[in-house]
Amino acid sequence: MYLIFATEQDGIDRSEQEGIARGLAYHKVGKGSRYVTRPRLTSSDTWALPVESYNLTEEEQDAVVDTVTFPDPDVI
């Protein structure tokens, strides 16, 4: 399950929001884990954030996609 973002920063921001909600170490003591997952560039030049374990809003649940295509690492 993925949420798709236009920019990498948008995906990172959503991951950090989830990290705050979960009380990850970075947000409690200023060091340690900050993000839950990192977005990856897709073949269509968008950013896919894995969100299997996220607490999603209804809007996000409607926007989730099950599969994405990533670029061939040998071509990058």
Side-chain angles (χ1 to χ4, degrees), residues 57-73:
T57 65
E58 286 186 29
E59 183 178 293
E60 289 173 331
Q61 289 173 13
D62 292 340
V64 164
V65 297
D66 291 323
T67 61
V68 294
T69 304
F70 296 107
D72 181 347

Side-chain angles (χ1 to χ4, degrees), residues 3-31:
L3 283 175
I4 304 301
F5 294 93
T7 68
E8 180 182 26
Q9 188 61 53
D10 288 343
I12 290 170
D13 291 347
R14 178 58 182 93
S15 185
E16 183 166 23
Q17 178 184 20
E18 188 71 12
I20 292 167
R22 291 185 186 194
L24 293 184
Y26 179 85
H27 305 289
K28 287 186 170 187
V29 298
K31 59 183 177 180

